[in-house]
Amino acid sequence: MSNPNIKHKIGLSEAQRQRLKDISRNGSAPAKKILHARILLMADQTHVEGRWSDVQISEAVGLHVNK
């Protein structure tokens, strides 16, 4: 089932997901890198905690959705 509110489908492996969680939680990475990690985790279509639409992600992190 295709969701028109998702521009790119992200599917992370468990190892990739763990690495992004580590980046987003350690607080010592640059802010932009932490933000990108959070966005990828939210967009991950293969995990139950992911599957956020682009609009939901943009509202949660305070960014504009490019169409």
Side-chain angles (χ1 to χ4, degrees):
M1 176 165 40
S2 179
N3 185 339
N5 295 319
I6 297 175
K7 187 172 181 179
H8 299 285
K9 297 209 182 218
I10 307 296
L12 302 172
S13 69
E14 191 55 41
Q16 291 170 319
R17 191 166 181 78
Q18 187 57 51
R19 176 74 179 123
L20 291 170
K21 282 182 179 180
D22 292 344
I23 290 169
S24 67
R25 291 183 181 152
N26 76 10
S28 64
K32 192 172 189 177
K33 186 172 185 175
I34 293 170
L35 179 63
H36 287 171
R38 287 182 57 215
I39 290 169
L40 286 170
L41 288 167
M42 293 168 140
D44 183 11
Q45 297 298 301
T46 60
H47 196 275
V48 70
E49 293 174 4
R51 301 182 188 151
W52 292 45
S53 72
D54 294 348
V55 172
Q56 290 171 315
I57 294 170
S58 69
E59 289 173 355
V61 298
L63 295 175
H64 182 274
V65 177
N66 288 333
K67 298 197 181 212

Coordinates of all heavy atoms in Angstrom, one line a residue:
M1 N 0.9 -1.2 0.0 CA 0.0 0.0 0.0 C 0.9 1.2 0.0 O 1.7 1.4 0.8 CB -0.9 -0.1 1.2 CG -1.8 1.1 1.4 SD -3.1 0.8 2.6 CE -2.4 -0.1 3.9
S2 N 0.7 2.1 -0.9 CA 1.6 3.3 -1.1 C 1.0 4.5 -0.4 O -0.2 4.7 -0.4 CB 1.7 3.6 -2.6 OG 2.5 4.8 -2.8
N3 N 1.8 5.2 0.3 CA 1.4 6.4 1.1 C 1.9 7.6 0.3 O 3.1 7.8 0.2 CB 1.9 6.3 2.5 CG 1.4 7.5 3.4 OD1 1.0 8.5 2.9 ND2 1.5 7.3 4.7
P4 N 1.0 8.5 -0.2 CA 1.4 9.7 -0.9 C 2.1 10.7 0.0 O 2.7 11.6 -0.6 CB 0.1 10.2 -1.5 CG -1.0 9.7 -0.5 CD -0.5 8.4 0.0
N5 N 2.1 10.5 1.3 CA 2.7 11.5 2.2 C 4.1 11.1 2.5 O 4.8 11.6 3.4 CB 1.9 11.6 3.5 CG 0.6 12.3 3.2 OD1 0.4 13.2 2.4 ND2 -0.4 11.7 3.9
I6 N 4.7 10.0 1.8 CA 6.0 9.6 2.0 C 6.8 9.7 0.7 O 6.4 9.0 -0.3 CB 6.0 8.1 2.5 CG1 5.4 8.1 3.9 CG2 7.5 7.6 2.6 CD1 5.2 6.7 4.4
K7 N 7.8 10.6 0.6 CA 8.5 10.8 -0.6 C 9.5 9.7 -0.9 O 9.6 9.2 -2.0 CB 9.2 12.2 -0.5 CG 9.8 12.6 -1.8 CD 10.3 14.1 -1.7 CE 10.9 14.5 -2.9 NZ 11.4 15.9 -2.9
H8 N 10.3 9.3 0.1 CA 11.3 8.3 0.0 C 11.0 7.2 1.0 O 10.8 7.5 2.2 CB 12.7 8.8 0.2 CG 13.1 9.9 -0.8 ND1 13.4 9.6 -2.1 CD2 13.1 11.2 -0.6 CE1 13.7 10.8 -2.7 NE2 13.5 11.8 -1.8
K9 N 11.1 5.9 0.6 CA 10.9 4.8 1.5 C 12.3 4.5 2.1 O 13.2 4.2 1.4 CB 10.3 3.6 0.8 CG 8.9 4.0 0.3 CD 8.1 2.8 0.2 CE 6.7 3.3 -0.4 NZ 5.6 2.7 0.1
I10 N 12.3 4.5 3.4 CA 13.5 4.1 4.2 C 13.4 2.8 4.8 O 12.4 2.6 5.6 CB 13.8 5.2 5.3 CG1 13.8 6.6 4.7 CG2 15.1 4.9 6.0 CD1 14.9 6.9 3.6
G11 N 14.3 1.9 4.6 CA 14.3 0.6 5.3 C 15.6 0.3 5.9 O 16.6 0.1 5.2
L12 N 15.7 0.3 7.2 CA 17.0 0.2 7.9 C 17.1 -1.2 8.4 O 16.2 -1.9 8.9 CB 17.0 1.2 9.1 CG 16.9 2.6 8.7 CD1 16.8 3.4 10.0 CD2 18.1 3.1 7.9
S13 N 18.4 -1.7 8.4 CA 18.7 -3.0 9.1 C 18.8 -2.7 10.6 O 18.8 -1.6 11.0 CB 20.0 -3.5 8.6 OG 21.1 -2.7 9.1
E14 N 18.8 -3.7 11.4 CA 18.8 -3.6 12.8 C 20.2 -2.9 13.2 O 20.2 -2.0 14.1 CB 18.7 -4.9 13.6 CG 18.5 -4.8 15.0 CD 17.3 -3.8 15.5 OE1 16.3 -3.9 14.8 OE2 17.5 -3.0 16.4
A15 N 21.2 -3.2 12.5 CA 22.5 -2.6 12.8 C 22.5 -1.1 12.5 O 23.0 -0.3 13.2 CB 23.7 -3.3 12.1
Q16 N 21.9 -0.8 11.4 CA 21.8 0.6 11.0 C 21.0 1.4 12.0 O 21.3 2.5 12.4 CB 21.2 0.8 9.6 CG 22.1 0.3 8.5 CD 21.4 0.2 7.1 OE1 20.2 -0.2 7.1 NE2 22.1 0.6 6.1
R17 N 19.9 0.8 12.4 CA 19.0 1.4 13.3 C 19.7 1.6 14.7 O 19.5 2.7 15.3 CB 17.7 0.5 13.5 CG 16.6 1.1 14.3 CD 15.3 0.4 14.1 NE 14.3 1.1 14.9 CZ 13.7 2.2 14.5 NH1 14.0 2.7 13.3 NH2 12.8 2.8 15.2
Q18 N 20.4 0.7 15.1 CA 21.2 0.8 16.4 C 22.2 1.9 16.3 O 22.4 2.7 17.2 CB 21.8 -0.5 16.8 CG 22.4 -0.5 18.2 CD 21.4 -0.1 19.3 OE1 20.4 -0.7 19.3 NE2 21.7 0.9 20.1
R19 N 22.9 2.0 15.2 CA 23.9 3.1 15.0 C 23.3 4.4 15.0 O 23.8 5.4 15.7 CB 24.7 2.8 13.7 CG 25.6 3.9 13.3 CD 26.9 3.8 14.2 NE 27.8 4.8 13.8 CZ 28.3 5.8 14.6 NH1 28.0 5.7 15.9 NH2 29.1 6.7 14.1
L20 N 22.1 4.6 14.4 CA 21.4 5.9 14.4 C 20.9 6.2 15.8 O 20.9 7.4 16.2 CB 20.3 5.9 13.4 CG 20.7 5.8 11.9 CD1 19.5 5.6 11.0 CD2 21.4 7.1 11.5
K21 N 20.4 5.2 16.5 CA 20.0 5.4 17.9 C 21.2 5.9 18.7 O 21.0 6.9 19.5 CB 19.4 4.2 18.5 CG 18.0 3.9 18.1 CD 17.5 2.6 18.8 CE 16.1 2.3 18.4 NZ 15.6 1.1 19.1
D22 N 22.3 5.3 18.5 CA 23.5 5.7 19.3 C 23.9 7.2 19.0 O 24.2 8.0 19.9 CB 24.7 4.8 19.0 CG 24.5 3.4 19.5 OD1 23.7 3.2 20.4 OD2 25.3 2.5 19.0
I23 N 23.8 7.5 17.7 CA 24.1 8.9 17.3 C 23.2 9.9 17.9 O 23.5 10.9 18.5 CB 24.1 9.0 15.8 CG1 25.3 8.3 15.2 CG2 24.1 10.5 15.3 CD1 25.3 8.2 13.6
S24 N 21.9 9.5 17.9 CA 20.8 10.5 18.3 C 20.8 10.6 19.8 O 20.3 11.6 20.4 CB 19.5 10.1 17.8 OG 19.0 8.9 18.4
R25 N 21.4 9.7 20.6 CA 21.3 9.7 22.0 C 22.6 10.2 22.7 O 22.6 10.6 23.9 CB 21.0 8.3 22.6 CG 19.6 7.9 22.2 CD 19.3 6.6 22.8 NE 17.9 6.2 22.5 CZ 17.5 4.9 22.4 NH1 18.3 3.9 22.6 NH2 16.3 4.7 22.1
N26 N 23.7 10.2 22.0 CA 25.0 10.4 22.7 C 25.2 11.9 23.0 O 25.9 12.3 23.9 CB 26.2 9.8 22.0 CG 26.6 10.6 20.7 OD1 26.1 11.7 20.5 ND2 27.5 10.0 20.0
G27 N 24.6 12.8 22.2 CA 24.7 14.2 22.5 C 26.0 14.9 22.1 O 26.2 16.1 22.2
S28 N 27.0 14.1 21.7 CA 28.3 14.7 21.3 C 28.5 14.9 19.8 O 29.5 15.5 19.4 CB 29.5 13.8 21.9 OG 29.5 12.6 21.3
A29 N 27.6 14.3 19.0 CA 27.7 14.5 17.6 C 27.2 15.9 17.2 O 26.4 16.5 18.0 CB 26.9 13.5 16.9
P30 N 27.6 16.5 16.1 CA 27.0 17.7 15.6 C 25.5 17.7 15.5 O 24.9 16.6 15.2 CB 27.6 17.9 14.2 CG 28.8 17.1 14.2 CD 28.5 15.9 15.1
A31 N 24.8 18.8 15.8 CA 23.4 18.9 15.9 C 22.7 18.4 14.6 O 21.7 17.7 14.6 CB 22.9 20.3 16.2
K32 N 23.3 18.8 13.4 CA 22.8 18.4 12.1 C 22.8 16.8 12.0 O 21.9 16.2 11.5 CB 23.5 19.1 11.0 CG 22.9 19.0 9.7 CD 23.6 19.9 8.7 CE 22.9 20.0 7.4 NZ 23.5 20.9 6.5
K33 N 23.9 16.2 12.4 CA 24.0 14.8 12.3 C 22.9 14.1 13.2 O 22.3 13.1 12.8 CB 25.4 14.3 12.7 CG 25.7 12.9 12.5 CD 27.1 12.6 12.7 CE 27.4 11.1 12.4 NZ 28.9 10.8 12.5
I34 N 22.7 14.6 14.4 CA 21.7 14.1 15.3 C 20.4 14.2 14.7 O 19.5 13.3 14.8 CB 21.8 14.7 16.7 CG1 23.1 14.4 17.4 CG2 20.6 14.4 17.6 CD1 23.4 15.1 18.6
L35 N 20.1 15.4 14.1 CA 18.8 15.6 13.5 C 18.5 14.6 12.4 O 17.5 14.0 12.2 CB 18.7 17.0 13.0 CG 17.4 17.4 12.3 CD1 16.2 17.3 13.3 CD2 17.4 18.8 11.7
H36 N 19.5 14.4 11.5 CA 19.4 13.5 10.4 C 19.2 12.0 10.9 O 18.3 11.3 10.3 CB 20.7 13.5 9.5 CG 20.8 14.7 8.7 ND1 21.9 15.0 8.0 CD2 19.9 15.7 8.5 CE1 21.7 16.2 7.3 NE2 20.5 16.6 7.6
A37 N 19.8 11.7 12.0 CA 19.6 10.3 12.6 C 18.2 10.2 13.1 O 17.6 9.2 12.8 CB 20.6 10.1 13.7
R38 N 17.7 11.2 13.7 CA 16.3 11.1 14.2 C 15.3 11.0 13.1 O 14.4 10.2 13.2 CB 16.0 12.4 15.1 CG 16.7 12.4 16.4 CD 16.3 13.7 17.2 NE 14.9 13.8 17.4 CZ 14.2 14.9 17.4 NH1 14.8 16.1 17.3 NH2 12.9 14.9 17.6
I39 N 15.5 11.8 12.0 CA 14.6 11.7 10.9 C 14.6 10.4 10.2 O 13.6 9.8 9.9 CB 15.0 12.8 9.9 CG1 14.7 14.2 10.4 CG2 14.3 12.6 8.5 CD1 15.2 15.4 9.7
L40 N 15.8 9.8 10.1 CA 15.9 8.4 9.5 C 15.2 7.4 10.3 O 14.5 6.5 9.8 CB 17.3 8.0 9.2 CG 18.0 8.7 8.0 CD1 19.5 8.5 8.0 CD2 17.4 8.3 6.7
L41 N 15.3 7.5 11.6 CA 14.7 6.6 12.5 C 13.2 6.7 12.4 O 12.4 5.7 12.4 CB 15.1 6.8 14.0 CG 16.6 6.3 14.3 CD1 17.0 6.9 15.6 CD2 16.6 4.8 14.3
M42 N 12.7 7.9 12.3 CA 11.2 8.2 12.2 C 10.7 7.7 10.9 O 9.5 7.2 10.8 CB 10.9 9.7 12.3 CG 11.2 10.2 13.7 SD 11.1 12.0 13.6 CE 10.3 12.4 15.1
A43 N 11.5 7.7 9.8 CA 11.0 7.4 8.5 C 11.2 5.9 8.2 O 10.6 5.4 7.2 CB 11.8 8.2 7.5
D44 N 11.8 5.1 9.0 CA 12.1 3.7 8.8 C 10.8 2.9 8.7 O 10.1 2.7 9.6 CB 12.9 3.1 9.9 CG 13.3 1.7 9.7 OD1 13.1 1.2 8.6 OD2 13.9 1.1 10.7
Q45 N 10.5 2.4 7.5 CA 9.3 1.7 7.2 C 9.3 0.3 7.6 O 8.3 -0.4 7.6 CB 9.0 1.8 5.7 CG 8.8 3.2 5.1 CD 7.6 3.8 5.8 OE1 6.5 3.3 5.7 NE2 7.8 5.0 6.4
T46 N 10.5 -0.2 8.0 CA 10.6 -1.6 8.4 C 10.5 -1.9 9.9 O 10.7 -3.0 10.4 CB 11.9 -2.3 7.8 OG1 13.0 -1.5 8.4 CG2 12.0 -2.2 6.3
H47 N 10.3 -0.8 10.6 CA 10.3 -0.9 12.1 C 9.0 -0.3 12.6 O 8.5 0.8 12.2 CB 11.5 -0.2 12.7 CG 11.7 -0.6 14.1 ND1 11.1 0.0 15.2 CD2 12.5 -1.6 14.7 CE1 11.5 -0.5 16.3 NE2 12.4 -1.5 16.0
V48 N 8.4 -0.9 13.7 CA 7.1 -0.4 14.2 C 7.2 1.0 14.8 O 6.2 1.7 14.8 CB 6.6 -1.5 15.2 CG1 7.4 -1.5 16.5 CG2 5.2 -1.2 15.6
E49 N 8.4 1.4 15.3 CA 8.5 2.7 15.8 C 8.7 3.8 14.7 O 8.7 5.0 15.0 CB 9.7 2.8 16.8 CG 9.5 2.0 18.1 CD 10.7 1.9 19.0 OE1 11.7 2.6 18.7 OE2 10.7 1.2 20.0
G50 N 9.0 3.4 13.5 CA 9.1 4.3 12.4 C 7.8 4.5 11.7 O 6.8 4.6 12.4
R51 N 7.8 4.5 10.4 CA 6.6 4.7 9.6 C 5.9 6.0 9.7 O 4.7 6.1 9.6 CB 5.7 3.5 9.9 CG 6.2 2.2 9.6 CD 5.2 1.1 9.9 NE 5.9 -0.2 9.8 CZ 5.5 -1.3 10.4 NH1 4.5 -1.3 11.2 NH2 6.2 -2.4 10.3
W52 N 6.6 7.0 10.1 CA 6.1 8.4 10.2 C 6.0 8.9 8.7 O 6.8 8.7 7.9 CB 6.9 9.3 11.0 CG 7.0 9.0 12.4 CD1 7.2 7.8 13.0 CD2 7.0 9.9 13.5 NE1 7.3 7.9 14.4 CE2 7.1 9.2 14.7 CE3 6.8 11.3 13.5 CZ2 7.2 9.9 15.9 CZ3 6.8 12.0 14.8 CH2 7.0 11.2 15.9
S53 N 4.9 9.7 8.4 CA 4.9 10.3 7.1 C 5.8 11.5 7.1 O 6.2 12.0 8.2 CB 3.4 10.8 6.8 OG 3.1 11.9 7.7
D54 N 6.1 12.0 5.9 CA 7.0 13.2 5.8 C 6.4 14.4 6.6 O 7.1 15.2 7.2 CB 7.2 13.6 4.3 CG 7.9 12.5 3.5 OD1 8.5 11.6 4.2 OD2 8.0 12.6 2.3
V55 N 5.1 14.6 6.5 CA 4.4 15.7 7.2 C 4.6 15.6 8.7 O 4.9 16.5 9.4 CB 2.9 15.8 6.8 CG1 2.2 16.8 7.6 CG2 2.8 16.2 5.3
Q56 N 4.4 14.3 9.2 CA 4.5 14.1 10.6 C 5.9 14.4 11.1 O 6.1 15.0 12.1 CB 4.1 12.7 11.0 CG 2.7 12.4 10.9 CD 2.4 10.9 11.0 OE1 3.1 10.0 10.5 NE2 1.4 10.6 11.8
I57 N 6.9 13.9 10.3 CA 8.3 14.2 10.7 C 8.6 15.6 10.6 O 9.2 16.2 11.6 CB 9.2 13.4 9.7 CG1 9.1 11.9 9.9 CG2 10.7 13.8 9.9 CD1 9.8 11.0 8.9
S58 N 8.2 16.3 9.6 CA 8.5 17.8 9.5 C 7.9 18.6 10.7 O 8.5 19.5 11.2 CB 8.0 18.3 8.2 OG 6.6 18.4 8.1
E59 N 6.7 18.2 11.1 CA 6.1 18.9 12.2 C 6.8 18.5 13.5 O 7.0 19.4 14.4 CB 4.6 18.5 12.3 CG 3.8 19.1 11.2 CD 2.3 18.5 11.2 OE1 2.0 17.7 12.0 OE2 1.5 19.1 10.4
A60 N 7.3 17.3 13.7 CA 7.9 16.9 14.9 C 9.3 17.5 15.1 O 9.7 17.9 16.2 CB 8.1 15.4 14.9
V61 N 10.0 17.7 14.0 CA 11.4 18.3 14.1 C 11.5 19.8 13.7 O 12.5 20.4 13.7 CB 12.4 17.5 13.3 CG1 12.5 16.1 13.8 CG2 12.1 17.5 11.8
G62 N 10.3 20.3 13.2 CA 10.3 21.7 12.9 C 11.0 22.1 11.6 O 11.6 23.1 11.5
L63 N 10.8 21.2 10.6 CA 11.4 21.5 9.2 C 10.3 21.5 8.2 O 9.2 21.0 8.4 CB 12.4 20.4 8.9 CG 13.6 20.3 9.7 CD1 14.4 19.1 9.3 CD2 14.5 21.5 9.6
H64 N 10.6 22.1 7.1 CA 9.6 22.2 5.9 C 9.8 21.0 5.1 O 10.9 20.5 4.8 CB 10.0 23.5 5.1 CG 9.0 23.7 4.0 ND1 9.2 23.1 2.8 CD2 7.9 24.4 3.9 CE1 8.2 23.5 2.0 NE2 7.4 24.3 2.6
V65 N 8.7 20.5 4.5 CA 8.7 19.3 3.6 C 8.9 19.9 2.2 O 8.1 20.7 1.7 CB 7.4 18.6 3.7 CG1 7.4 17.4 2.7 CG2 7.1 18.0 5.1
N66 N 10.0 19.4 1.6 CA 10.2 19.8 0.2 C 9.5 18.8 -0.7 O 9.5 17.6 -0.4 CB 11.7 19.7 -0.2 CG 12.5 20.8 0.4 OD1 12.0 21.9 0.7 ND2 13.8 20.5 0.7
K67 N 8.7 19.3 -1.7 CA 7.9 18.4 -2.5 C 8.5 18.3 -3.9 O 9.2 18.9 -4.4 CB 6.5 19.0 -2.6 CG 5.9 19.0 -1.2 CD 4.4 19.1 -1.3 CE 3.9 19.1 0.1 NZ 2.7 18.6 0.4

